Amino acid sequence: MGIFSRKDSTPTTTVTGPDLTALTGDYTIDPAHTTIGFTARHAMVTNVKGAFHDFTGSLHLDGADPSRSTATLDIQMTSVDTGSADRDGHLKSSDFFKTDEFPTMTFRSTKAEALGGEDYRITGDLSILGTTKQLTIDLEFNGSAKDPFGNERVGFEGKAEILRSQWGLTWNAALETGGVLVSDKIKLNFDISAIKNA
């Protein structure tokens, strides 16, 4: 994941700050303190939010060369939760996720960039329903800390948008007043806490 490249606004001065290279290493995403969520427009008038609760992921952070940072994520599609059992069942069905045939959604990073300040961008391959397309996630680095149990943690917030139809998620229903029941555009949000491996 592309982090840890900071430049001062003046060309003749270098900001030293904390030694961010100390954060270089391998991390495991902590599902108990991480949210992987999404928002879809419903009936053209409101937003429905959901999240996935069963996932694993890892990060490799390179403080010396942010472009060498990487991220992986594996999400169990049956863990989708929108607050409605009926809606979740529909999402797991053949109309949407086809979880019996495609139980896992995966992300594998291919590029990491530092954008300046606390802002970063990671690009990679998102696979859903056996289809792989490029996904770009804009990230904000929230910092690092040692928790009360001695774990070294880093945190990120991220967001992205996709058109679900590009991954074969095309089910919909027309509305009598015009438009469709479920938006093609889906907003993704990530609130990530990761623990440095011993």
Side-chain angles (χ1 to χ4, degrees):
M1 188 163 286
I3 72 168
F4 314 141
S5 179
R6 299 184 179 181
K7 296 180 181 179
D8 188 46
S9 57
T10 58
T12 57
T13 304
T14 300
V15 175
T16 55
D19 183 10
L20 296 179
T21 59
L23 298 181
T24 294
D26 295 316
Y27 292 75
T28 299
I29 293 176
D30 176 10
H33 298 93
T34 295
T35 300
I36 299 174
F38 61 89
T39 303
R41 198 79 167 162
H42 181 261
M44 310 294 290
V45 297
T46 191
N47 291 319
V48 170
K49 296 182 179 181
F52 296 96
H53 298 305
D54 185 2
F55 53 85
T56 58
S58 63
L59 309 176
H60 173 74
L61 307 183
D62 191 320
D65 184 356
S67 68
R68 296 177 63 185
S69 298
T70 59
T72 69
L73 194 59
D74 294 87
I75 300 170
Q76 300 306 309
M77 302 301 277
T78 56
S79 71
V80 65
D81 180 6
T82 64
S84 166
D86 288 343
R87 183 167 52 226
D88 296 343
H90 191 196
L91 287 173
K92 297 172 191 178
S93 76
S94 59
D95 284 342
F96 286 96
F97 295 146
K98 303 178 184 178
T99 56
D100 288 342
E101 186 178 357
F102 301 101
T104 307
M105 172 170 57
T106 64
F107 176 78
R108 299 290 184 268
S109 68
T110 57
K111 182 180 180 181
E113 305 169 82
L115 303 181
E118 304 294 342
D119 296 328
Y120 305 89
R121 179 171 292 153
I122 188 163
T123 302
D125 294 329
L126 177 66
S127 297
I128 309 173
L129 298 180
T131 297
T132 301
K133 299 282 186 181
Q134 182 174 286
L135 173 68
T136 297
I137 305 170
D138 289 326
L139 293 163
E140 180 180 356
F141 177 52
N142 285 343
S144 63
K146 180 175 286 190
D147 69 23
F149 306 100
N151 298 310
E152 296 284 351
R153 290 181 179 267
V154 293
F156 300 89
E157 289 183 61
K159 59 183 180 180
E161 291 184 354
I162 65 171
L163 298 178
R164 62 187 178 90
S165 60
Q166 294 183 343
W167 281 266
L169 294 163
T170 57
W171 183 92
N172 228 319
L175 301 175
E176 290 184 8
T177 53
V180 291
L181 185 64
V182 184
S183 62
D184 190 22
K185 181 193 293 185
I186 305 296
K187 297 179 180 179
L188 307 177
N189 58 81
F190 307 87
D191 198 346
I192 296 172
S193 179
I195 298 172
K196 193 171 189 178
N197 298 346

